[in-house]
Amino acid sequence: MDFIEELTWRGMIHTVMPGTDEQLKKGMTTAYLGIDPTADSLHIGHLCGVMMLRHFQRCGHKPLALVGGATGMIGDPSGKSAERNLLDEATLRHNQEAIKKQLSKFLDFESDAPNKAEMVNNYDWTKDVTFLDFAREIGKHITVNYMMAKDSVQKRLNGEARDGLSFTEFTYQLLQGFDFYTLYKDKDCKLQLGGSDQWGNITTGTELIRRKLGGEAYALTCPLITKADGGKFGKTESGNVWLDPRYTSPYKFYQFWLNVSDADAEKYLKIFTALTKEEIDALIEEHAKDPGQRPMQKRLAKEVTIMVHSEEDYNAAVEASSILFSNKADEALRHLDEKTLLDVFEGVPTFNIAKADLEAGLPVVELLAAKTAVFPSKGEARKMIQQGGVSINKQKVTDPNAVITAESLLNGKYLLAQRGKKNYYLLTVTD
């Protein structure tokens, strides 16, 4: 596989420095991509860069994942991002290990292949460098004029920086250049990968390598991922879509990809899966014949969920998704863990009922119209039960005199009441 060719048809190239393709064709090349370690999980905003590393390794080259421990200890110098907070070394090391575990699903870190992936942390080569050393060994090789010309600096100076541009922000490109210089020198790393917003920082590194070592280094960036409607990719009402199931359950993760637009699904299949061009073209064709079946979204959600989580998690997410639309989902409902149950029924009306009320058994009409307000009156509850329009835990209730006991509880504390086809209520037992 040819790396540039592969990324080009996938729409994953924004800018390539001249000479990059020639360097890659010479043989196995080492490249790195920087990852912010301010959380102990990646989110899907990181995925495009991670997929670049994955394709790079599949093409026979050696990927380095650089955790920005040094820059993580600075935090966000502009003060704009609450996510980029100041971290201590112990937290950084914990985050680094957690991120490596996630990356190992995409990259081969363990084999004895010459192009096996490595993880590096810029804190390791930055922590002992004094300010005077840095000024003398690095700062003198890059002029202020050169740094001022960068788009990232110009944007901050021309209106984005209400409080001006801090020294730390201004010198951020030097720190990133120092990373590239160090990896070039110590790991023979000739290429840096990143998002298009990193172009200025990356080229500072190539310039530093040229001026200080007389070496040739290269840059390749991917476009920033957007949504067809102009909204920000990877953000939901509840925040980032994380790769760690503690923060975003596999069900919610699966749902995110399942619900993207047709235009986004076609684009994301190319960027976020390893499917071939022929497979994706066939899916696009299938989708055009019957868009209502959403084959692109279903395959996208399947591929990414299995890649990030597991096939078991994917199957559980599909089963959980079917619960809302199936009348025979009582067994599947009982298999749901508590987090997934709450995710599936997020936003439905909820009521609390006392555990003591269920211990002796509670008539279903009493449960739905007196202990809760699923129905405004017992008469209406009785009438709809007789019409076959009421279910408890996806099992139809046919007898208005039926009694509900604690044995019916899901996860030992929930009952799911359904009124009609679409009205769900989650009843939570309290002590």
Side-chain angles (χ1 to χ4, degrees):
M1 275 170 55
D2 181 289
F3 181 62
I4 302 265
E5 204 175 278
E6 183 73 12
L7 260 56
T8 300
W9 78 258
R10 289 183 181 276
M12 292 174 72
I13 291 185
H14 184 273
T15 317
V16 188
M17 185 175 281
T20 303
D21 197 25
E22 291 77 0
Q23 168 60 39
L24 295 174
K25 284 184 166 68
K26 286 178 187 174
M28 188 182 82
T29 298
T30 300
Y32 91 90
L33 176 118
I35 294 169
D36 177 18
T38 47
D40 62 355
S41 173
L42 302 173
H43 53 73
I44 61 173
H46 293 108
L47 267 187
C48 184
V50 172
M51 292 304 291
M52 286 170 79
L53 285 181
R54 188 181 196 201
H55 291 308
F56 193 69
Q57 189 171 42
R58 289 172 68 221
C59 291
H61 301 293
K62 183 177 177 68
L64 304 177
L66 179 142
V67 170
T71 37
M73 293 193 86
I74 295 169
D76 179 10
S78 70
K80 288 190 300 183
S81 172
E83 294 169 2
R84 293 255 315 270
N85 51 344
L86 215 65
L87 300 175
D88 58 46
E89 188 177 354
T91 304
L92 283 166
R93 295 297 179 194
H94 163 75
N95 292 356
Q96 177 181 336
E97 286 310 305
I99 289 168
K100 184 174 182 180
K101 190 176 175 186
Q102 289 181 337
L103 288 175
S104 64
K105 294 191 175 185
F106 300 84
L107 303 170
D108 167 23
F109 285 95
E110 301 303 326
S111 79
D112 53 5
N115 70 326
K116 77 169 184 178
E118 287 183 46
M119 177 169 269
V120 293
N121 188 334
N122 62 10
Y123 181 71
D124 294 334
W125 59 78
T126 308
K127 67 178 188 293
D128 296 325
V129 177
T130 68
F131 179 76
L132 291 176
D133 288 341
F134 191 79
R136 185 180 66 238
E137 298 299 326
I138 304 301
K140 74 173 185 181
H141 292 280
I142 302 293
T143 67
V144 169
N145 291 19
Y146 178 86
M147 294 167 70
M148 289 286 287
K150 299 290 183 184
D151 276 352
S152 53
V153 174
Q154 287 297 319
K155 280 181 182 171
R156 295 281 291 142
L157 286 175
N158 297 331
E160 283 189 18
R162 193 176 299 170
D163 301 321
L165 183 72
S166 75
F167 175 76
T168 311
E169 280 182 281
F170 182 56
T171 54
Y172 202 92
Q173 59 180 291
L174 280 184
L175 286 168
Q176 195 164 326
F178 182 49
D179 291 341
F180 201 173
Y181 160 77
T182 303
L183 292 174
Y184 180 94
K185 188 166 53 77
D186 296 349
K187 303 266 186 192
D188 195 29
C189 178
K190 300 243 171 100
L191 173 64
Q192 186 179 165
L193 308 171
S196 57
D197 59 335
Q198 291 294 306
W199 182 257
N201 293 340
I202 295 173
T203 51
T204 297
T206 62
E207 185 68 9
L208 182 63
I209 289 163
R210 187 184 68 78
R211 293 186 185 186
K212 195 163 167 55
L213 299 172
E216 287 294 328
Y218 304 93
L220 186 153
T221 60
C222 62
L224 296 179
I225 309 303
T226 56
K227 283 162 60 177
D229 63 6
K232 191 168 182 180
F233 167 74
K235 290 276 189 181
T236 65
E237 286 179 15
S238 54
N240 287 321
V241 179
W242 298 94
L243 273 55
D244 191 313
R246 291 175 301 160
Y247 306 134
T248 301
S249 69
Y251 167 78
K252 272 196 168 180
F253 186 86
Y254 167 79
Q255 285 290 325
F256 172 84
W257 300 102
L258 191 64
N259 290 312
V260 302
S261 70
D262 289 357
D264 286 336
E266 184 175 332
K267 181 167 77 168
Y268 296 167
L269 276 165
K270 295 172 184 174
I271 295 171
F272 298 114
T273 78
L275 295 176
T276 64
K277 189 175 189 305
E278 292 71 28
E279 287 172 309
I280 292 171
D281 287 344
L283 275 168
I284 293 167
E285 198 176 317
E286 183 189 344
H287 192 97
K289 289 175 185 169
D290 190 359
Q293 290 299 311
R294 297 167 67 79
M296 288 196 300
Q297 284 91 338
K298 287 176 181 174
R299 188 62 184 277
L300 172 69
K302 177 180 181 178
E303 292 291 324
V304 186
T305 304
I306 290 174
M307 182 170 60
V308 170
H309 296 291
S310 69
E311 191 155 2
E312 188 182 1
D313 287 324
Y314 160 72
N315 290 331
V318 171
E319 191 173 39
S321 301
S322 72
I323 285 169
L324 289 169
F325 310 106
S326 168
N327 292 322
K328 299 177 180 175
D330 55 307
E331 195 59 37
L333 190 63
R334 292 195 171 278
H335 291 153
L336 285 190
D337 60 272
E338 183 176 6
K339 183 162 180 25
T340 306
L341 174 73
L342 295 176
D343 281 345
V344 172
F345 295 100
E346 184 179 31
V348 307
T350 59
F351 297 103
N352 291 331
I353 49 174
K355 194 172 187 178
D357 288 337
L358 281 181
E359 282 172 354
L362 194 61
V364 66
V365 170
E366 182 85 5
L367 172 70
L368 299 177
K371 298 296 182 181
T372 66
V374 172
F375 287 92
S377 71
K378 292 181 182 180
E380 283 190 47
R382 195 173 285 109
K383 184 179 177 184
M384 191 167 259
I385 289 170
Q386 288 166 340
Q387 292 171 347
V390 175
S391 295
I392 298 291
N393 297 343
K394 298 299 283 187
Q395 286 188 311
K396 204 172 281 286
V397 179
T398 54
D399 179 6
N401 299 312
V403 172
I404 307 298
T405 68
E407 283 182 14
S408 298
L409 291 174
L410 304 169
N411 287 286
K413 62 188 286 194
Y414 300 103
L415 289 170
L416 180 70
Q418 187 176 354
R419 190 186 81 196
K421 284 187 178 179
K422 295 182 178 177
N423 298 307
Y424 288 95
Y425 305 84
L426 198 60
L427 317 183
T428 305
V429 170
T430 57
D431 289 327

